[in-house]
Amino acid sequence: MIIAVDGPAASGKGTLARRLAAHYGLAYLDTGSLYRAVALAVLRAGGDPADEAAAVAAAHALDMADTEDPALRGSDVGRAASVVAAMPAVREAILDRQRRFAHTPPGAVLDGRDIATVVCPDAEVKLFVTASDEVRAMRRCKELEAAGEAVGYDAVLRDLVERDARDRNRTHAPLRQADDAYLLDTSNLDIEAAFRAAVGIVDSYRETGGVRP
Ligand SMILES: Nc1ncnc2c1ncn2[C@@H]1O[C@H](COP(=O)(O)OP(=O)(O)O)[C@@H](O)[C@H]1O
Ligand SMILES: Nc1ccn([C@@H]2O[C@H](COP(=O)(O)OP(=O)(O)O)[C@@H](O)[C@H]2O)c(=O)n1
């Protein structure tokens, strides 16, 4: 089984996808960490994330071990990731790797922006996870604070809104809800409630053999 989890920044898709993977015994891939790792490699080499040749070279050289670096979670890296992610050649360089991961038995949960639309349009279950801008900014603020990066709420909100706009408006593989994806708004759900709601959606899919919303 493949479960696709897409949504805007800090909507809680990673938290949900990781728990769904553990619950159903599936592998888990945070595809955002691939774009973040490409961006971090360019930044560390002293390059500009807008330099397409540098970003594409970093994407081809990407090692899965690079996706474990705690430095990936910084807000500067998130911003740079959305710049390199708008480049079709960067996306192309890491597409097959994501598809192979998803199709390795017994299947996987992948979270990102284009999983249901581009990477795995054949996924059995598609979730589009969202939350209000304010709720997402508050969650990301707390997360950055806990990681030792104190960024004010206003700056985090501005950053998320700007990054989402870049992700939604790019021409190649933009962030959007697939026509056959379930919308899960977690604005008023804590982590446990969001997980229970998602399990309800996946189980009802399995019981009905794939009735779409
Ligand atoms: N439903 C929720 N309620 C409250 N906090 C949440 C919820 N889901 C996730 N979080 C927290 O919000 C932050 C961002 O979640 P994450 O799963 O990393 O989002 P995304 O993968 O969409 O960027 C994390 O610190 C996480 O613990
Ligand atoms: N499947 C994906 C995943 C991430 N991305 C890009 O990578 C950036 C970082 O993704 P992420 O999932 O780590 O970001 P957060 O939601 O954790 O803030 C996004 O802003 C997108 O530009 C993408 O284009 N496609």
Side-chain angles (χ1 to χ4, degrees):
M1 173 165 70
I2 297 174
I3 303 177
V5 183
D6 292 300
S11 54
K13 57 191 183 303
T15 304
L16 199 57
R18 195 182 298 277
R19 285 199 60 179
L20 287 173
H23 183 76
Y24 292 105
L26 300 169
Y28 166 61
L29 182 63
D30 166 8
T31 65
S33 70
L34 304 176
Y35 295 95
R36 285 177 181 262
V38 170
L40 184 61
V42 174
L43 291 171
R44 280 200 174 142
D48 178 355
D51 174 353
E52 184 153 358
V56 172
H60 281 292
L62 185 69
D63 186 319
M64 286 310 265
D66 301 339
T67 64
E68 304 295 329
D69 193 327
L72 294 180
R73 312 288 15 134
S75 52
D76 52 338
V77 180
R79 204 173 309 122
S82 79
V83 173
V84 303
M87 300 167 181
V90 166
R91 306 196 72 84
E92 191 59 38
I94 57 177
L95 183 57
D96 276 354
R97 197 187 294 232
Q98 296 172 72
R99 287 195 173 140
R100 274 199 308 276
F101 186 96
H103 288 95
T104 301
V109 186
L110 286 80
D111 83 279
R113 303 293 185 289
D114 64 336
I115 308 304
T117 52
V118 175
V119 179
C120 299
D122 54 340
E124 281 90 340
V125 186
K126 302 178 178 182
L127 296 174
F128 192 82
V129 182
T130 187
S132 71
D133 293 354
E134 292 71 21
V135 166
R136 293 188 292 116
M138 191 54 81
R139 288 177 186 168
R140 182 52 42 91
C141 234
K142 282 191 190 153
E143 189 184 6
L144 289 170
E145 217 173 277
E149 187 185 348
V151 187
Y153 171 84
D154 289 345
V156 171
L157 177 62
R158 241 190 343 265
D159 198 61
L160 289 189
V161 169
E162 188 188 304
R163 186 146 63 90
D164 287 347
R166 188 156 45 231
D167 290 346
R168 284 186 191 279
N169 295 326
R170 67 184 176 218
T171 46
H172 202 73
L175 164 66
R176 72 172 182 87
Q177 182 182 345
D179 296 339
D180 53 354
Y182 297 83
L183 178 65
L184 181 57
D185 187 334
T186 69
S187 301
N188 298 310
L189 302 178
D190 64 15
I191 291 178
E192 194 53 40
F195 172 66
R196 281 200 308 271
V199 167
I201 292 168
V202 176
D203 286 348
S204 81
Y205 158 78
R206 294 173 118 194
E207 279 156 23
T208 58
V211 175
R212 293 290 185 200

